[in-house]
Amino acid sequence: MIPLALTTTAAHAATRVDNPFVGAGVYVNPEWSANAAAEPGGSAIANQPTFVWLDRIAAINGVNGGMGLRDHLNAAVKQAAGKPYVFQVVIYDLPGRDCAALASNGELGPTDLPRYQSEFIDPIAAILADPAYANLRIVTTVELDSLPNLTTNAGGTATSTPNCETMKANGNYVKGVGYALAKLGAIPNVYNYVDAGHHGWLGWDSNMQPAIDVIKQAATASGSTLNNVQGFVVNTANYGALHEPNFTVADTVNGTSVRQSKWVDWNQYVDEASFAKAWRTKAIASGFNSNIGMIIDTSRNGWGGANRPAGPGPKTTVDAYVDGGRIDRRFQTGNWCNQSGAGLGERPKAAPEDGIAAYVWVKPPGESDGASQAVANDEGKGFDAMCDPTYTGNARNNNNMSGALPNAPLAGHWFSAQFQELLKNAYPALGTSTGDTTAPTAPTGLAATTTSSSVSLTWTASTDNVGVTGYDVYRGGTLIGSTNNTSYTDTGLTASTAYSYTVKAKDAAGNVSAASAALSATTTAGGTTDTTAPTAPTNLAATTTSSSATLTWGASTDNVGVTGYNVYRGGTLIGSTTSTSYTDSGLTASTAYSYTVKAKDAAGNLSAAAAVTATTQAGTSTGAGCTATYKVSSDWGAGFNADITVTAGNTAIKSWKVTWTYGGNQQITNLWNGTVSQSGQSVTVNNAGYNGTVAANGSTSFGFGANYSGSNAVPTLTCTATS
């Protein structure tokens, strides 16, 4: 029974806002806070807000005498004391959960979707919908890792696992997430943020758009709609640096791109902030609502302490440059378990930079990622070798050491050694003070341009004795957002309406300037109708691999402005983009596909279609004792990455060799998990010392990066083996 003092009515619930974190307090979990405060030095962060984790059915009512969901919500109402307040909760118990990491496997089997719905989601939704909690802004993180796993760990990729193949085939991840979004999204004060992995997982072109497409499929499954998604969360329970300040993917060293370094490995992104912003742009282009927000888990991505680089690495080689300057000190971004050297990251903060709704602590610091050795338990959690500090790696982390701390307990259990590691390496450091008490000067020159639904503000930068770190923007005295730049756009406004704005500057010590002079801005009248369609895209062309088609075209023009392009396969819309290129993946080899592209503008006018037919390449050939399959994993026009899977026949083999001849000018620049020789267009790859032996019908893989110009057809491979 709910105490009378906590009772309210649903009618009093606040209308959903674009960013639930702005202007609101955030719930501090008293159980985690007590654990943190009991640690030496832990009181420095014990008052920080963290997510409550519901990772099994029993957690709804509380485990081993601990607080259940309703207990936490009641405590949040008390903490709120009538003020706007955010309650954060992880929804995490899908059937066949985390098919790629044994440490976080769950209690439900692959086919237990009915139990997930009736025993897990339905009771949670019933509690969250209680009128007693209607004034809380309830932020959910929905099902970590699940949907990204369907992109990277299923479908025949080099990192596929049988469990992920099963979950992709039965569709229960998609159906389960859709069901959760539909049930929770029906509650007016719930904000659903779907897990979107992290840059070291989905930052490649071949992964990001397919992952967005899978999430869109889930968001429209089981009765859900895209309106049930308020945003996405990245870096959950992971360690990706918020910003890598010492290099960018655009840098070169002696003419070699940073993307070619071993650590970046042709990724498009090197940190979480840039990845999150790019994800948001692509998700909106794919049909998600334009007001979606991004939140970043910064609980363990500080990477401070004595090992934090102070500047770029030496420009002797591209590897030395990146390795010397990178903040994230893991052996490889595939390392995810209890990382040695990690530190607390940015403290939770609302609207910290453009495009980011909040920094949050989804993973409570001090809670283990998984046990470093097998531990019997009744939670369904297995032993994953990636949590063993002596483990030398696998294909998912390019066979690097795991980087894990020793003596770790089960996932979710308190791990004192990890907590102390995070305190030691925190960035920003704990308890530091600059002694700076001087506030920045007030912003000047505040000006605005308007549309019928938005006001775009600009101003002149403030100055400070140390340095300005950002600006807070107020509408009518209410904080509506923060930015690192001298501009900000306020959207979702009413036509023909006057709004008053002020801006304040802030510095790293927390000093805040006086407000700028107030500016009144009036939105324009609505109703102007644009009926002119853009011109059709020109020069539509396609290049193919055995499983993808990359389309490019010339930009369209419009009387107002082109806002994007719709891409159709066989007359069915398969995606949208704001660029003049699009890659359609997951196709069948040696198959013809028909594509059309139409330009669109802000008024919804569509151009005439441009059309092209593309035929995918053949990608597999047989040889003596083995077969080899060639797959281009990413292609950016001047270079590409490829993955080769070598599969033994019915007899085990002791060594293998794969050869092929390119039809163009492809030149391999780096190769892993094998030894390569190339003479002109002819390429020979032999096994490395550790992957020549392959069991009957088993497989291994190697990959490489290459440069090229012109066409990039998939070659015919020959695989030979000794047994």
Side-chain angles (χ1 to χ4, degrees):
M1 179 175 293
I2 304 301
L4 184 61
L6 298 179
T7 303
T8 183
T9 65
H12 294 151
T15 303
R16 272 203 191 114
V17 295
D18 284 349
N19 186 348
F21 295 92
V22 170
V26 188
Y27 176 61
V28 177
N29 180 346
E31 291 184 311
W32 175 82
S33 181
N35 284 333
E39 291 280 343
S43 59
I45 63 165
N47 64 341
Q48 293 293 339
T50 57
F51 275 64
V52 171
W53 283 57
L54 300 180
D55 62 353
R56 46 182 161 152
I57 294 167
I60 299 173
N61 293 319
V63 178
N64 298 326
M67 297 172 70
L69 176 59
R70 196 176 286 279
D71 298 321
H72 284 293
L73 287 164
N74 291 343
V77 171
K78 291 181 180 179
Q79 288 183 20
K83 299 176 182 178
Y85 218 67
V86 173
F87 176 79
Q88 304 173 120
V89 59
V90 173
I91 309 298
Y92 187 45
D93 198 28
L94 269 181
R97 188 178 74 193
D98 207 340
C99 54
L102 298 173
S104 48
N105 287 163
E107 63 190 346
L108 300 179
T111 61
D112 283 340
L113 181 62
R115 289 191 62 198
Y116 174 76
Q117 295 171 333
S118 64
E119 297 180 40
F120 187 65
I121 295 299
D122 288 355
I124 292 172
I127 293 172
L128 297 184
D130 191 311
Y133 314 125
N135 281 334
L136 295 174
R137 299 175 182 179
I138 300 173
V139 169
T140 70
T141 289
V142 179
E143 294 300 350
L144 314 178
D145 296 346
S146 58
L147 299 177
N149 273 329
L150 298 186
T151 298
T152 59
N153 298 318
T157 66
T159 54
S160 293
T161 72
N163 289 342
C164 289
E165 296 285 1
T166 295
M167 299 316 300
K168 183 171 185 176
N170 69 23
N172 283 344
Y173 278 2
V174 168
K175 297 171 191 174
V177 170
Y179 186 86
L181 291 174
K183 293 287 288 190
L184 302 174
I187 305 168
N189 58 316
V190 167
Y191 298 76
N192 290 319
Y193 288 79
V194 180
D195 184 74
H198 53 86
H199 88 273
W201 189 0
L202 301 180
W204 287 268
D205 291 338
S206 57
N207 290 345
M208 183 183 283
Q209 188 61 51
I212 291 173
D213 293 342
V214 169
I215 292 176
K216 183 178 180 181
Q217 180 186 1
T220 53
S222 304
S224 181
T225 71
L226 297 183
N227 290 330
N228 291 322
V229 178
Q230 280 67 56
F232 301 92
V233 56
V234 301
N235 204 45
T236 298
N238 210 269
Y239 300 87
L242 183 62
H243 303 105
E244 284 285 0
N246 297 325
F247 65 92
T248 74
V249 292
D251 293 348
T252 60
V253 176
N254 301 322
T256 302
S257 169
V258 157
R259 294 187 64 210
Q260 196 170 328
S261 72
K262 293 179 181 178
W263 190 75
V264 178
D265 193 23
W266 298 106
N267 202 318
Q268 291 279 22
Y269 309 96
V270 296
D271 55 35
E272 294 306 316
S274 62
F275 171 74
K277 293 173 185 179
W279 178 282
R280 181 177 185 273
T281 298
K282 289 179 180 290
I284 292 171
S286 298
F288 285 91
N289 293 336
S290 61
N291 64 344
I292 56 171
M294 302 298 298
I295 58 178
I296 304 176
D297 186 357
T298 60
S299 60
R300 303 184 302 176
N301 68 348
W303 292 103
N307 292 326
R308 187 176 179 90
K315 284 199 168 184
T316 51
T317 67
V318 71
D319 284 338
Y321 176 69
V322 172
D323 189 53
R326 62 187 174 98
I327 300 304
D328 185 342
R329 302 310 301 175
R330 287 177 290 179
F331 290 106
Q332 209 269 343
T333 54
N335 290 358
W336 53 265
C337 193
N338 299 325
Q339 290 298 286
S340 174
L344 299 168
E346 288 280 353
R347 314 316 175 241
K349 184 186 304 182
E353 53 184 297
D354 289 349
I356 306 301
Y359 301 150
V360 295
W361 283 7
V362 182
K363 179 72 172 182
E367 293 189 3
S368 174
D369 293 325
S372 52
Q373 58 186 359
V375 176
N377 68 92
D378 60 358
E379 301 174 35
K381 296 170 181 174
F383 167 62
D384 196 305
M386 285 297 291
C387 298
D388 177 358
T390 66
Y391 183 55
T392 56
N394 54 40
R396 291 195 293 280
N397 79 331
N398 286 352
N399 296 102
N400 281 273
M401 295 293 292
S402 70
L405 291 169
N407 304 315
L410 284 172
H413 291 227
W414 191 257
F415 187 13
S416 178
Q418 185 214 54
F419 187 84
Q420 291 300 319
E421 184 89 344
L422 296 174
L423 290 181
K424 178 181 67 176
N425 295 315
Y427 187 88
L430 300 177
T432 57
S433 174
T434 63
D436 176 17
T437 60
T438 302
T441 61
T444 58
L446 185 60
T449 58
T450 63
T451 69
S452 61
S453 61
S454 68
V455 173
S456 295
L457 302 170
T458 59
W459 56 89
T460 301
S462 298
T463 60
D464 185 66
N465 63 317
V466 177
V468 174
T469 58
Y471 299 88
D472 290 335
V473 181
Y474 297 80
R475 185 202 316 133
T478 299
L479 178 66
I480 59 170
S482 300
T483 177
N484 298 331
N485 302 317
T486 54
S487 62
Y488 184 87
T489 298
D490 186 18
T491 59
L493 305 179
T494 303
S496 303
T497 303
Y499 296 90
S500 178
Y501 294 92
T502 54
V503 179
K504 297 179 182 180
K506 54 190 177 183
D507 63 19
N511 301 304
V512 179
S513 76
S516 68
L519 174 70
S520 180
T522 301
T523 50
T524 60
T528 301
T529 303
D530 172 17
T531 59
T532 302
T535 61
T538 57
N539 301 319
L540 179 61
T543 57
T544 63
T545 70
S546 61
S547 61
S548 69
T550 298
L551 307 175
T552 59
W553 57 88
S556 299
T557 60
D558 185 66
N559 63 317
V560 176
V562 175
T563 58
Y565 300 86
N566 288 343
V567 181
Y568 304 80
R569 186 201 316 131
T572 300
L573 179 66
I574 59 171
S576 298
T577 179
T578 56
S579 69
T580 55
S581 64
Y582 183 88
T583 298
D584 184 22
S585 57
L587 305 180
T588 302
S590 302
T591 303
Y593 294 90
S594 176
Y595 294 94
T596 54
V597 179
K598 298 179 181 180
K600 57 186 177 182
D601 61 21
N605 300 304
L606 290 176
S607 75
V612 70
T613 298
T615 301
T616 51
Q617 303 291 326
T620 303
S621 69
T622 60
C626 59
T627 60
T629 302
Y630 183 110
K631 177 183 177 182
V632 174
S633 57
S634 60
D635 190 322
W636 51 97
F640 67 99
N641 283 344
D643 296 317
I644 313 294
T645 300
V646 176
T647 302
N650 294 328
T651 303
I653 61 177
K654 295 181 179 179
S655 65
W656 49 262
K657 178 174 71 175
V658 180
T659 60
W660 67 89
T661 301
Y662 280 120
N665 62 356
Q666 295 91 334
Q667 184 66 42
I668 293 176
T669 56
N670 63 314
L671 183 139
W672 49 94
N673 295 340
T675 59
V676 62
S677 63
Q678 181 171 0
S679 176
Q681 296 172 304
S682 299
V683 179
T684 299
V685 178
N686 289 283
N687 59 271
Y690 52 82
N691 64 353
T693 300
V694 183
N697 301 310
S699 62
T700 187
S701 64
F702 65 91
F704 62 85
N707 296 326
Y708 81 101
S709 61
S711 63
N712 189 27
V714 172
T716 298
L717 309 184
T718 298
C719 185
T720 57
T722 60
S723 57

